Amino acid sequence: MTIFTQTLKAEDLLRGDLKLASPPTVYLALTKVIEDPNKSNRDAAAVIESDAGLAMRLLKIVNSAYFGFPAKVSSLPLAVSLIGVRELQNLVLATLVIERFSELPGQQFSIHDFWARNLRCALAARHLDVLSGKKYADTAFLCGLVHNIGQLVMYRRIPVLAREVDLLLRAQTSPDIDEAMIETQIIGFDRYQVGAALSTMWKLPPIVTDSIRLHRFPDFTGQHAQIATLVRLANQLSKADMPGLSAAIDGVDLSVEQISVVLDRVHEEFATLFDLFYPPA
């Protein structure tokens, strides 16, 4: 087993790679418009419409079971007025992040499976937030989707070490294996530290950064602990089968019946959404 050296830090993985240096330009432009009090929802829609492919995909998402509107939404200005500019902004970022991290040439790692798992987590996080009173309606989906993004950065920047972690995890027999602990033992830091560093570099909202950083610390009770707990549970549910539900929600103020409904909705939405976020090659 490789022993890490103290010279390598999570932030080091983000240097010297143009794909990691900054968030997608459309997202940056959209953020500037949203933060400008003199700009309107129509201005926000115009930014998205500058990328025809992105605009088309977003309209398909808005018209999917994810939102369940009774009538077809035919334009982005209408979409903005219906779902809100902040949620559309997060959908833009989610779509573009998946697009940017859609392949890892030469690596024995399934990007398809990675995004399938994390999209299920994102959908579960959104529905869990609904059960909890919609406190994180604008961010639950995005936080669930990107909480593991640091793992992709590891595979992109230090593939040999990332593969070593993966092989060691596959060799474990315990279902409660601490993936982050194994990463720290081999690399010196974990995926959540890398993901939080990327989120900070991209100047994403602090709640997104903290939801990633705190994923490994279930006992933390400070700011943004609740969204981290929600995403942690969503991640567990995205991997649990029906017999494992009781264990997954142990200590959570939700019934097995409620969680079963969440998983049914996740399954239904995933079937229509995945190809929109991750189009077949």
Side-chain angles (χ1 to χ4, degrees):
M1 182 174 72
T2 302
I3 303 298
F4 74 89
T5 62
Q6 292 286 357
T7 57
L8 187 63
K9 298 179 180 178
E11 293 77 7
D12 295 336
L13 303 191
L14 307 179
R15 300 190 178 101
D17 189 316
L18 293 178
K19 278 195 173 184
L20 301 178
S22 62
T25 54
V26 173
Y27 175 78
L28 279 177
L30 183 59
T31 299
K32 290 180 180 178
V33 167
I34 291 172
E35 293 175 350
D36 187 341
N38 297 315
K39 299 294 185 179
S40 66
N41 286 351
R42 187 169 291 279
D43 293 317
V47 171
I48 300 171
E49 288 170 335
S50 67
D51 184 327
L54 173 64
M56 184 178 298
R57 286 167 67 187
L58 286 174
L59 279 176
K60 288 181 179 179
I61 292 169
V62 170
N63 282 293
S64 72
Y66 180 79
F67 288 104
F69 291 124
K72 183 176 181 180
V73 180
S74 58
S75 70
L76 278 173
L78 178 58
V80 174
S81 68
L82 288 172
I83 70 173
V85 69
R86 288 292 179 185
E87 181 148 14
L88 195 65
Q89 179 190 31
N90 286 332
L91 285 178
V92 166
L93 182 59
T95 303
L96 294 175
V97 165
I98 292 177
E99 183 179 85
R100 179 171 288 194
F101 290 95
S102 61
E103 58 181 24
L104 285 176
Q107 304 304 325
Q108 293 180 313
F109 180 84
S110 174
I111 297 293
H112 176 281
D113 292 349
F114 175 90
W115 284 121
R117 287 193 304 272
N118 287 282
L119 179 58
R120 288 190 181 96
C121 176
L123 293 170
R126 181 172 181 259
H127 285 295
L128 289 172
D129 179 59
V130 171
L131 288 178
S132 304
K134 293 188 176 181
K135 185 175 181 179
Y136 304 106
D138 289 340
T139 53
F141 178 87
L142 180 62
C143 290
L145 186 73
V146 301
H147 78 280
N148 266 327
I149 193 71
Q151 185 181 24
L152 289 188
V153 177
M154 287 178 169
Y155 262 96
R156 181 178 178 84
R157 300 292 285 160
I158 46 173
V160 174
L161 291 176
R163 181 61 177 163
E164 185 172 342
V165 169
D166 186 52
L167 291 174
L168 189 56
L169 289 173
R170 290 173 185 268
Q172 303 299 313
T173 56
S174 171
D176 300 321
I177 186 66
D178 188 337
E179 297 175 335
M181 180 183 70
I182 298 296
E183 289 170 344
T184 302
Q185 288 176 347
I186 293 178
I187 303 173
F189 45 81
D190 60 53
R191 67 187 67 181
Y192 307 119
Q193 290 171 274
V194 177
L198 179 66
S199 181
T200 298
M201 178 176 282
W202 283 13
K203 298 181 180 179
L204 300 187
I207 190 173
V208 177
T209 302
D210 285 348
S211 72
I212 299 171
R213 180 177 58 83
L214 297 173
H215 193 86
R216 191 183 176 185
F217 303 106
D219 296 328
F220 180 79
T221 58
Q223 187 179 31
H224 298 148
Q226 287 184 319
I227 182 64
T229 298
L230 186 147
V231 172
R232 200 178 298 113
L233 175 59
N235 184 53
Q236 290 177 305
L237 294 179
S238 69
K239 298 184 289 187
D241 53 17
M242 288 303 295
L245 278 187
S246 295
I249 64 173
D250 183 40
V252 176
D253 190 24
L254 294 170
S255 68
V256 171
E257 291 73 21
Q258 286 176 305
I259 295 300
S260 296
V261 170
V262 167
L263 292 183
D264 286 344
R265 290 176 179 170
V266 168
H267 179 75
E268 176 187 346
E269 292 173 1
F270 178 85
T272 58
L273 272 181
F274 186 63
D275 285 349
L276 298 179
F277 276 106
Y278 191 91

